[in-house]
Amino acid sequence: MGWQEKLTQEEMDVVKKNCVTKKINLVLSGIFLFGGLLLVPGVSGATRTNAVSLPPPQITDSVSVMKALSERKSSRNFAVSPISDEQLSKILWAANGINRPGSEGHTTPAAMGVQSVHVYAVTDKGIFLYEPQSHSIRLQNKGDYRMTTTKGQSFVGKAPLTLVYVADSVAWGNARRVPPADQQTIFDSVAAGAMAQNVGLVAAAEGLGTCVRASIDHEAFARAAHLFNSERVIIAQTIGVLP
C-alpha cells in the first residue's frame, strides 16, 4: 500500500484543525521569541495526527555523483505515471532530510543553522508539508492543486510531483544574531537552491525528469497551502517520469 492510500478519512478531517493549530503556534512563536524562546512549529500532537511516514531513504545506490551530474538536465515533458514511494522518500530526504541524526544535521546547508525553508510536496492528492525530523509528510489541503504552482505551464498538471520551497521569516528569530531582512532573503534563496540541486541529482540518478521554475501563482498557492504572512514562496520544482 502506497503512502497516498494510507490517508484515512479521520486524517483528512484533521486538516482544518491542523491549520488552526499552525496559526496558534505561529502566534505563540512570536510571544515566546519576544521572551527569548521560540516555539518550534509542528511539534504538537494535533499537527502530527495526519502525518504519513515515508519509507527510509535508500542511500546505497550505485550511481555516482559525477554520473548524476552528467545526466542532470531540465525536462518539461512527462509521462502520466506516478513516482514510487521509495523515489518520493529519496527526493524529500535529499531536499531537506536529516543525515546526521545525532546533531540534527540536514542534507543541505542553512545559514547560521537556521532551517528557514520548508518543502511542500504537491500531488494530485493534495498539498503536503515535509517534516524532516520524522521523515514524513503532513497533509495541508486535500485535492489537486498542482496548477497553483504555475502560471499556466500545462506540463505541471501532468507531472506527478511538484516541490515548492517556502521561506518562513519567523524561523530567523532562532538565529544567534538576527540578520537584516535583505540578508534573510539571500540566505533563504541559497538554501532553496541547494535543495533544488540535490533533488535534481537524485532525479537524474533515478531516471526521472525535473524542472526548476519561477513561474508560480504565489497567491493561489499561498491560499491552497494555508500559508501565513510570514511565509514566502521562493521557487518550485516539478518532477516526473520521462516519456
Side-chain angles (χ1 to χ4, degrees), residues 51-212:
V52 178
S53 296
L54 295 168
Q58 299 299 312
I59 60 176
T60 58
D61 292 341
S62 58
V63 176
S64 70
V65 173
M66 296 302 289
K67 179 65 174 176
L69 280 169
S70 72
E71 297 182 357
R72 194 223 65 81
K73 62 181 179 180
S74 294
S75 304
R76 295 176 177 82
N77 188 19
F78 301 103
V80 184
S81 302
I83 61 174
S84 69
D85 292 358
E86 290 73 20
Q87 288 173 325
L88 178 64
S89 173
K90 290 179 182 179
I91 287 168
L92 291 175
W93 184 82
N96 197 29
I98 293 177
N99 62 359
R100 289 151 291 163
S103 63
E104 292 291 303
H106 288 241
T107 55
T108 48
M112 303 181 186
V114 175
Q115 300 296 330
S116 60
V117 178
H118 306 298
V119 183
Y120 287 79
V122 187
T123 75
D124 63 339
K125 301 299 183 184
I127 300 175
F128 301 83
L129 174 64
Y130 176 56
E131 297 187 326
Q133 287 75 17
S134 57
H135 191 55
S136 62
I137 51 176
R138 177 159 48 89
L139 182 65
Q140 302 298 294
N141 202 350
K142 181 183 178 182
D144 189 350
Y145 293 100
R146 287 176 292 180
M147 291 305 291
T148 68
T149 72
T150 180
K151 288 186 175 179
Q153 297 163 302
S154 60
F155 70 87
V156 175
K158 186 177 181 180
L161 175 66
T162 287
L163 302 184
V164 181
Y165 302 103
V166 177
D168 190 350
S169 60
V170 169
W172 284 105
N174 258 342
R176 58 185 180 275
R177 176 184 57 80
V178 179
D182 59 340
Q183 288 188 10
Q184 293 179 23
T185 299
I186 293 172
F187 294 152
D188 293 339
S189 299
V190 170
M195 293 176 181
Q197 180 68 351
N198 276 14
V199 169
L201 293 178
V202 168
E206 290 292 313
L208 300 173
T210 181
C211 179
V212 178

Side-chain angles (χ1 to χ4, degrees), residues 30-50:
I31 295 174
F32 284 118
L33 176 61
F34 182 78
L37 298 174
L38 180 68
L39 178 65
V40 179
V43 296
S44 71
T47 62
R48 292 190 180 276
T49 51
N50 61 332

Side-chain angles (χ1 to χ4, degrees), residues 18-40:
N18 169 52
C19 295
V20 172
T21 304
K22 182 181 177 186
K23 178 175 286 186
I24 293 172
N25 281 352
L26 186 64
V27 173
L28 290 176
S29 294
I31 295 174
F32 284 118
L33 176 61
F34 182 78
L37 298 174
L38 180 68
L39 178 65
V40 179

